[in-house]
Structure formats: C-alpha cells, structure tokens
C-alpha cells in the first residue's frame, strides 16, 4: 500500500521551482501526496499541483529565458515593484477558475495579514487569490487587498507551514525548506540551452528572409530595438534588473582569502559582497528572517523527512533558471529519500 504524504512547500522566491523536482521524485517512488500546505512559491507550485496542472506549468516556465522573464515584469509605482498581473494572469490561464474546495486534495496557502498582523490560512475560496496573496513578496509584488486586510507573502511569519498538515493523519510529513545553509556540496546543474538573443535573432531573421543582406540588417536592428525596449522597461525598476542579472554578466566571486573571518556557524564571511540595490537589500533581509523562522518551525514541529535546498544556489529573483532548479530539487529529494528509506525497518 502506498504511503500517504503530507507535503509542506516552503517559500524562497525562484528556488521554489525546486519544489517541482521534489514532487516528481516523491511520485516516482510511489508515495501518494494526500495533502499540501505551501507558502509563497510553495503555495503557487502546491496549488497548481493540486489542480492537476503541474506538467503544463512546468512546460511554460522551462520555456522562459531571461528576456521572457523581463517581459513578465509589469511595473508598479506603489507598494511593490511589480503588479504581477502578467505572471499570475498566465497562471490563471493554466489553472483556470477554481475554488480550493474543488481541488483533488486538501490544500492550504499561507499569507500574512499586515493590517491585523497575523497569519492567514486559505483553505477555501478562490485558488488564484490564495496563491497570489501568499506570493505577494514585500517590495517586489504589490499586496492583495481583501476587504480591510492587506495580504502579503506568508514567509513574513511562516516560511515553512508545517502546522496546517499536522492533523492530516498521513503516514509521514515531508517538508521542503528552501532556505537551508548547510548543504554546501550541492551545486546548481549546468543545462545547455541556446542563448536567448541568438535563438530570437535566428527566428526573426528567418521570418524576414535572412538570405537577403538588407533583410538581415533589418532583423539585427529589430533585435537591437527589442533589447533596448526591454532594458528601458527594466530600468523603471532598476533593482530588479540588477538583482536578476544573468550569471554570465555578473563578476566572478572573489577567491577565499587565508584567515578570512568566519561566522558563528563556521562559514566564511566574504568581503565586499553586499546587496546591489535597495530592493536587493530588502529581499536579502527578508531571506535572513525566513531562514531563522524556518529553523524555529522545524524545531517546533519536526517533519518525518526534511528536504533542504540551499539558498545560495540562486538569487531570489532568478526565475529564468527553472530547468536547473527543477533538476536540483529532484537530486536533493532523491538523496534525502534514499537516506530516509534506508533507515526504515
């Protein structure tokens, strides 16, 4: 008989794509995911899975490159850098109009009510609104207004919502923590994909008849204009662009210096590394808080299986790395479940 799993999916920005790989590995081993609780990206992935649309969602996010992600940035000038209508509009198209009560398994999305300063559990009502509220990352996505309540990312109070599944009576609780600091041996895999500009240029040039020199020149000009337009759009929220810049355009990390200072946990403190912008500063602070809160939640309600995804593998905003993060999630879940299963009688 299949073991019934209560799955807890934590918050962590783009690292939330690792949840997809974890779910795939859990199902591959024959476990039955019987209920889900999620926060932020964990609520989004969990809600899409509970709606039976995870494969379609995965195909979409794996098709996104750096430019595609920038195209999804709809700039806001109040209470958040991005309105989120483009991103969540696409998710709405994939999932459809569903209430949580209609999902095939019990589902909880956790958000934070800033007005009343409390944690909110969505266990009924509109699935789309629940996911959007849970993922309203402060400073990045605009909050969700519900009556007199202002709702933002649940990670502000509960980045790893284990409590909602404790009473589920499943065989085991599996929690996925996206803010781990002790998984130094895991690296983001390298997945070869054609460069975004090259593939776009080739398709555009073909449509214009690239065999003619003047047509090819037109294609080059159009590509240049497209790039400039996207950069101008991103410049409206310059912190996003700086924080989400592809690794190929970022300076290499400085080598470790002999005698470099260490933190209380023994890890090296790297000199001259800090936030690139105000938005980056806010989100790095948010992640530090989430890391600490997640440790408290784990200590208070230890799950049967804890899958730790290191937060250093990518920045909070790097939503164009879906294939790599999905593969990493699958790898870490496989290793963790191997250890768990080897200890079972």
């Amino acid at each position: 008989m299949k073991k019934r799993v209560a799955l807890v999916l934590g918050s962590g920005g783009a690292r939330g794509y690792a949840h997809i790989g974890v779910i795939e590995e859990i199902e591959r081993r024959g476990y039955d995911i019987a209920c889900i609780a999620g926060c932020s990206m964990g609520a989004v992935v969990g809600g899409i899975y509970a709606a039976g649309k995870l494969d379609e969602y995965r195909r979409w996010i794996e098709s996104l490159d750096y430019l595609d992600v920038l195209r999804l940035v709809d700039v806001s000038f109040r209470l958040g850098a991005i309105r989120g209508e483009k991103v969540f509009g696409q998710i709405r198209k994939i999932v459809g109009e569903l209430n949580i009560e209609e999902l095939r398994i019990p589902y909880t999305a956790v958000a934070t009510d800033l007005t009343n300063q409390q944690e909110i559990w969505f266990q009924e009502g509109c699935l789309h609104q629940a996911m959007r509220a849970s993922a309203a990352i402060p400073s990045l996505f605009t909050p969700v207004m519900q009556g007199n309540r202002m709702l933002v990312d649940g990670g502000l109070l509960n980045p790893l919502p284990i409590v909602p599944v404790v009473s589920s009576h499943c065989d085991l609780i599996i929690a996925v923590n996206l803010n781990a600091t002790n998984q130094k041996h895991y690296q983001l895999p390298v997945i070869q994909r054609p460069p975004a500009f090259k593939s776009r240029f080739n398709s555009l040039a073909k449509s214009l008849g690239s065999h003619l020199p003047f047509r090819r020149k037109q294609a080059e000009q159009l590509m240049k204009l497209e790039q400039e337009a996207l950069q101008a759009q991103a410049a409206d929220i310059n912190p996003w662009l700086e924080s989400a810049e592809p690794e190929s355009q970022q300076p290499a990390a400085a080598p470790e210096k002999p005698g470099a200072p260490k933190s209380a946990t023994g890890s090296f403190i790297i000199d001259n590394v800090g936030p690139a912008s105000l938005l980056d500063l806010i989100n790095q602070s948010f992640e530090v808080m989430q890391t600490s809160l997640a440790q408290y939640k784990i200590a208070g309600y230890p799950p049967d299986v804890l899958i730790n995804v290191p937060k250093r593998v990518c920045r909070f905003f790097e939503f164009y790395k879906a294939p790599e993060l999905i593969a990493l999630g699958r790898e870490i879940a496989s290793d963790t479940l191997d250890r768990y299963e080897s200890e079972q009688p």
Side-chain angles (χ1 to χ4, degrees), residues 182-188 310 312 331-332 335 339:
N182 59 348
Q183 300 288 79
K184 297 181 181 180
H185 58 290
Y186 285 111
Q187 302 293 330
L188 201 64
R312 60 169 175 73
E331 176 190 358
I332 297 175
D335 292 346
R339 290 193 295 271

Side-chain angles (χ1 to χ4, degrees), residues 2-183:
K2 289 184 178 181
K3 282 191 175 182
R4 299 175 72 250
V5 169
L7 184 60
V8 181
L9 304 178
S11 64
R15 292 189 300 278
Y17 288 147
H19 291 318
I20 298 173
V22 171
I23 289 172
E24 290 176 349
E25 182 61 24
I26 289 172
E27 291 191 323
R28 188 187 71 81
R29 290 173 181 254
Y31 293 99
D32 177 27
I33 298 175
C35 70
I36 286 183
C39 176
S40 196
M41 270 296 285
V44 173
V45 173
I48 294 171
Y49 171 79
K53 299 292 185 178
L54 194 59
D55 288 342
E56 188 176 344
Y57 176 69
R58 175 180 175 166
R59 286 194 296 271
W60 174 57
I61 61 172
E62 286 189 327
S63 72
L64 300 177
D65 58 30
Y66 179 63
L67 290 181
D68 292 322
V69 170
L70 284 181
R71 282 193 180 87
L72 293 170
V73 174
D74 46 1
V75 178
S76 170
F77 295 100
R78 56 185 301 274
L79 300 180
I82 302 169
R83 290 192 299 273
E85 292 174 5
K86 290 184 179 180
V87 174
F88 285 95
Q90 182 63 34
I91 292 174
R92 188 191 290 270
K93 288 180 183 178
I94 293 172
V95 174
E97 299 293 340
L98 281 177
N99 285 331
I100 294 173
E101 303 94 302
E102 301 173 68
L103 298 176
R104 56 197 176 96
I105 57 175
Y107 166 81
T108 303
V110 175
T112 300
D113 177 3
L114 285 183
T115 305
N116 299 297
Q117 301 181 15
Q118 63 184 7
E119 188 176 320
I120 299 295
W121 293 3
F122 285 93
Q123 296 178 319
E124 58 183 20
C126 176
L127 173 63
H128 181 81
Q129 187 177 50
M131 293 190 295
R132 175 65 178 85
S134 182
I137 302 167
S139 78
L140 182 57
F141 287 110
T142 54
V144 171
M145 300 305 299
Q146 190 181 72
N148 67 342
R149 299 191 302 188
M150 178 180 286
L151 303 177
V152 297
D153 196 307
L156 202 62
L157 292 177
N158 192 352
L160 195 63
I162 300 172
V163 176
V165 304
V166 168
S167 61
S168 64
H169 305 296
C170 289
D171 297 309
L172 69 157
I173 296 174
I174 297 179
V176 186
N177 174 27
L178 300 180
N179 294 287
T181 58
N182 59 348
Q183 300 288 79

